[in-house]
Amino acid sequence: LNPRLLGPLETFRREVATPIERYGRDDVAESLKRVVRPFILRRLKSDKTIIRDLPAKHEMKVVCTLTREQASLYQAAVDEALRRIESADGIQRRGLVLALITALKQICNHPAHYLGESGPLAGRSGKLQRLVEMLEEALAEGDRALVFTQFREMGDRLVAEIARAFGTEVPFLHGGVSRTARDT
């Protein structure tokens, strides 16, 4: 967006990237932050001028057991990817590793997500089963919940499944929702 703001690529790598990444130079990182801060919109939940009506964030790790279908898909994806990664190098190898990570995340979400299937989701994902249980617990207490997902496609599936499970409308916010619709 702003060519040359950070100087020529080689100079940037030598004077900024390498000192930060390799040597952990906080002073160089702070200088970079000062230069790019006006161009980055970053909203934090802790900033009450941005988000006034959300409660404090609570995080807890919840272990979800994979279903047999998920476990077999997971193992097959790992085996296939490792076979392909062994014969690759450079950027292709990195691409295959990233593709594997994405595939494994999708499998852990739900087999239908990974396989690109539509239809009912119940009974095939330990993670989805635990999500529904957590939502039942929250609703029983009279609480509300926000559910986040990295994947738009999984969000579409979750909306349908949660609406079916609880018999209620489920709003879904994503990058394709207009500002007016988000505000509504």
Side-chain angles (χ1 to χ4, degrees):
L1 294 175
N2 293 292
R4 302 287 183 219
L5 174 70
L6 302 174
L9 181 58
E10 282 307 314
T11 304
F12 177 79
R13 282 186 179 144
R14 183 179 62 252
E15 296 178 7
V16 179
T18 300
I20 293 171
E21 293 171 358
R22 190 170 294 158
Y23 304 110
R25 295 272 310 272
D26 292 334
D27 59 319
V28 177
E30 284 304 315
S31 294
L32 176 61
K33 284 181 190 176
R34 279 193 299 278
V35 171
V36 299
R37 186 174 292 130
F39 303 100
I40 299 175
L41 173 61
R42 182 166 184 226
R43 296 196 270 175
L44 301 175
K45 188 173 178 180
S46 59
D47 184 351
K48 295 300 179 186
T49 63
I50 302 292
I51 302 175
R52 291 182 175 85
D53 60 342
L54 291 178
K57 180 178 176 181
H58 299 285
E59 289 186 47
M60 60 185 197
K61 291 183 181 181
V62 178
V63 177
C64 303
T65 304
L66 298 176
T67 63
R68 285 180 195 230
E69 179 184 13
Q70 284 177 295
S72 62
L73 279 172
Y74 194 101
Q75 190 61 57
V78 168
D79 292 344
E80 174 62 20
L82 289 178
R83 185 187 62 72
R84 293 174 61 204
I85 289 169
E86 284 177 13
S87 62
D89 59 354
I91 193 75
Q92 182 187 20
R93 184 180 181 100
R94 289 179 183 197
L96 291 170
V97 170
L98 289 175
L100 173 61
I101 291 168
T102 299
L104 297 179
K105 287 178 179 182
Q106 291 173 335
I107 292 167
C108 289
N109 279 341
H110 197 284
H113 185 201
Y114 174 69
L115 298 170
E117 298 174 348
S118 59
L121 301 182
R124 296 176 64 196
S125 167
K127 189 173 181 180
L128 178 61
Q129 179 181 341
R130 183 60 186 125
L131 171 64
V132 170
E133 291 169 358
M134 291 170 69
L135 291 174
E136 287 170 346
E137 294 163 8
L139 292 173
E141 293 293 319
D143 290 337
R144 296 180 290 171
L146 291 174
V147 178
F148 293 90
T149 180
Q150 176 181 356
F151 300 98
R152 162 88 187 266
E153 320 83 63
M154 191 61 197
D156 290 328
R157 289 179 169 94
L158 287 174
V159 165
E161 185 61 24
I162 294 168
R164 185 199 64 74
F166 295 98
T168 186
E169 181 183 349
V170 178
F172 180 35
L173 302 178
H174 53 80
V177 176
S178 71
R179 181 182 178 109
T180 305
R182 279 196 316 267
D183 290 346
T184 300

